[in-house]
Amino acid sequence: KTNAAYGKKIIMAVKQGGSPEPTANALLAKIIREAKANSVPVENINRAIKRASEANVGDFSESTFEAYGLGGASIVINVLSDNANRATADVKSTVNKRNGKIAEQGSVLFMYDRKGKIEVPSAIDEEALLDAAIEADIEDFLLEAGDEEGTSVVFVEPSDTATMFDTVEAMGFEGAKMSLVYVSKAPVECNEEDFEKNMEIIEALEELDDVDSVEHNMTN
């Protein structure tokens, strides 16, 4: 799904930026960089750029839906679609069918911060990263252990994402990935039953073709 999502983003960037050349289209250059950082093959990138100029390819746009799950959980749904009406209907139906509730715009997102996220398949020493970040003029970051043992996650301000990615690579770490995410400021721990029901909502949303990613505030 990562390859398909970046294919859509590249098409959107070519159309919005008005050029299939990264040197003349800053948005396209940024998306290509992210795609490569997330291991999208070069041939997929080139294919998407070529497709963007075809007459039968729709205009993709990004949108965000907000929802409430069970037990105080909140959900942020990031959509990338060439058909806003279809995406809206599918997202609302998926949430409502599973006893979630679509929230009014802004009523969930205010509880989240937009952050750059660098995922590294290795453990990073915090002092070494601090020294490298200072040298790269990155004022603020948060280093956490990744979900899998021996991995790391670094959160930065969105504008520092690419710089931190370069910094991590320059430190000798390979295989890092970068993305922009919403990070909860109000995490909750749900009981097991609510957690499982919320995960059913999230997994069903992730199955939708128009959904790029789903984020939530559950800690368990």
Side-chain angles (χ1 to χ4, degrees):
K1 191 160 183 177
T2 299
N3 291 355
Y6 275 104
K8 293 178 186 178
K9 289 181 180 182
I10 287 166
I11 291 169
M12 182 184 71
V14 170
K15 295 200 170 197
Q16 286 185 3
S19 172
E21 296 295 332
T23 51
N25 184 336
L27 178 59
L28 176 61
K30 174 178 173 288
I31 297 297
I32 289 175
R33 185 130 190 262
E34 285 182 17
K36 288 180 176 177
N38 285 281
S39 305
V40 177
V42 173
E43 56 264 31
N44 290 42
I45 293 171
N46 292 338
R47 194 183 307 127
I49 292 172
K50 187 178 177 185
R51 277 195 67 214
S53 60
E54 295 173 3
N56 62 339
V57 174
D59 291 329
F60 287 94
S61 61
E62 294 177 300
S63 57
T64 302
F65 291 86
E66 303 163 52
Y68 296 112
L70 288 76
S74 61
I75 303 169
V76 178
I77 306 137
N78 302 301
V79 166
L80 183 59
S81 177
D82 59 352
N83 187 323
N85 290 336
R86 178 190 67 215
T88 299
D90 285 351
V91 167
K92 287 184 175 179
S93 170
T94 300
V95 171
N96 292 336
K97 269 184 191 175
R98 292 161 180 82
N99 298 316
K101 181 184 176 185
I102 292 293
E104 289 188 20
Q105 195 168 8
S107 61
V108 165
L109 274 182
F110 83 94
M111 297 184 287
Y112 288 75
D113 285 325
R114 191 67 162 159
K115 293 290 183 182
K117 181 181 182 182
I118 315 296
E119 298 172 85
V120 187
S122 308
I124 299 180
D125 178 74
E126 188 163 13
E127 283 193 23
L129 183 61
L130 177 60
D131 290 342
I134 291 171
E135 199 169 311
D137 290 328
I138 298 171
E139 293 184 3
D140 193 29
F141 71 85
L142 176 65
L143 173 64
E144 294 184 350
D147 291 336
E148 295 182 20
E149 191 175 344
T151 63
S152 306
V153 179
V154 186
F155 292 102
V156 293
E157 291 303 310
S159 58
D160 288 332
T161 308
T163 306
M164 180 57 89
F165 179 80
D166 289 343
T167 299
V168 167
E169 282 203 325
M171 291 173 70
F173 295 104
E174 297 180 353
K177 296 180 179 182
M178 67 174 170
S179 58
L180 290 176
V181 297
Y182 287 104
V183 178
S184 173
K185 294 186 282 188
V188 299
E189 184 169 357
C190 298
N191 65 46
E192 191 171 336
E193 184 180 352
D194 286 345
F195 175 76
E196 288 179 2
K197 288 180 178 177
N198 290 332
M199 289 309 299
E200 284 179 19
I201 298 172
I202 291 165
E203 287 166 6
L205 286 166
E206 289 175 337
E207 288 294 315
L208 297 176
D209 287 340
D210 290 325
V211 170
D212 182 23
S213 61
V214 183
E215 287 142 341
H216 60 81
N217 67 338
M218 294 184 293
T219 59
N220 49 337

